[in-house]
Amino acid sequence: MALLLALLAACSSSTPLMALLFDMPPPGQAQPSELQVRQPRRTPPPSGPVFKVSQAHLDSLAALAKAGPPPNWPELFKQLPKDDEDNIDWMAALESKLITPKGVIDDKDKDPGRTADDDIELSTSGKPNRMVVFSHSTHTQWLTCNNCHNAIFKREAGSAKITMDDIDEGKYCGVCHDKVALAQPSGCKGCHKPIKKS
């Protein structure tokens, strides 16, 4: 309360406190005839953009705008042929030219083209009712030799003892299959062919 009374007393007299609080000239100094324009207390922000955008970034934005909206994959997948388990039959889509995969990802790279088209019958243990057939022609329409040889498979016949456990653990065929190619179980019959009874 005492502070409030002191402030009221200071405001009611001609003291430097009034000049300080109310922007008045001190006692004994004449009021200026013109309004004084004060300089800003802070430095104004620079005009123009606050950050710089690289030309490469602008080019990539222009390319995205030119490319249009991204594909509606679920709708596109509905148009592709299906196998008897209602999964996409990628080979039928390829053969009917509904899809046309590129030979290389980067257009600057040379496309090595297709390679061997032979089928390889793999030996199986026991007396299976299905044999395992690896189709080069199925794979070489998507891939080149060095996608698989020699990192995943050696070129020498019989150099790998492949089991389904290995494949399920992501080795051999499992490097791609059940990840980016052919979901189980529909993909199984692509390699496991019934043995024809003679």
Side-chain angles (χ1 to χ4, degrees):
M1 185 70 170
L3 179 61
L4 181 60
L5 290 174
L7 282 173
L8 286 173
C11 290
S12 61
S13 64
S14 294
T15 63
L17 180 61
M18 281 189 64
L20 179 68
L21 292 175
F22 297 104
D23 203 16
M24 298 171 56
Q29 189 176 348
Q31 184 83 11
S33 58
E34 293 181 8
L35 292 175
Q36 291 180 340
V37 178
R38 292 181 167 227
Q39 295 299 318
R41 292 182 182 166
R42 295 183 189 158
T43 308
S47 59
V50 201
F51 58 90
K52 292 183 180 179
V53 179
S54 70
Q55 187 59 46
H57 185 69
L58 291 174
D59 292 343
S60 66
L61 290 175
L64 282 173
K66 185 177 179 183
N72 183 341
W73 293 114
E75 286 303 313
L76 291 172
F77 287 160
K78 286 178 188 175
Q79 299 170 26
L80 296 175
K82 306 290 189 297
D83 62 15
D84 55 2
E85 295 184 24
D86 205 35
N87 292 302
I88 295 172
D89 187 335
W90 291 105
M91 287 309 299
L94 186 67
E95 289 162 4
S96 62
K97 307 276 189 231
L98 288 171
I99 57 173
T100 52
K102 292 170 35 170
V104 290
I105 293 173
D106 190 342
D107 290 330
K108 296 176 199 161
D109 294 335
K110 183 182 176 190
D111 183 354
R114 293 179 61 186
T115 55
D117 282 346
D118 54 327
D119 288 347
I120 300 173
E121 187 174 327
L122 304 175
S123 59
T124 54
S125 59
K127 294 182 179 178
N129 57 5
R130 290 179 175 267
M131 63 180 169
V132 180
V133 177
F134 173 79
S135 169
H136 266 107
S137 63
T138 298
H139 291 79
T140 56
Q141 292 179 70
W142 307 89
L143 305 165
T144 59
C145 295
N146 57 4
N147 286 112
C148 301
H149 300 294
N150 282 324
I152 302 171
F153 297 100
K154 304 293 180 209
R155 291 179 189 261
E156 297 80 29
S159 61
K161 304 295 180 202
I162 304 168
T163 67
M164 284 308 302
D165 287 339
D166 288 334
I167 293 171
D168 290 341
E169 289 173 13
K171 300 174 186 170
Y172 301 115
C173 312
V175 170
C176 294
H177 287 280
D178 210 23
K179 292 186 181 74
V180 295
L182 300 178
Q184 291 180 1
S186 66
C188 299
K189 59 190 170 194
C191 295
H192 294 268
K193 312 284 186 189
I195 294 176
K196 293 177 184 174
K197 296 181 180 175
S198 48

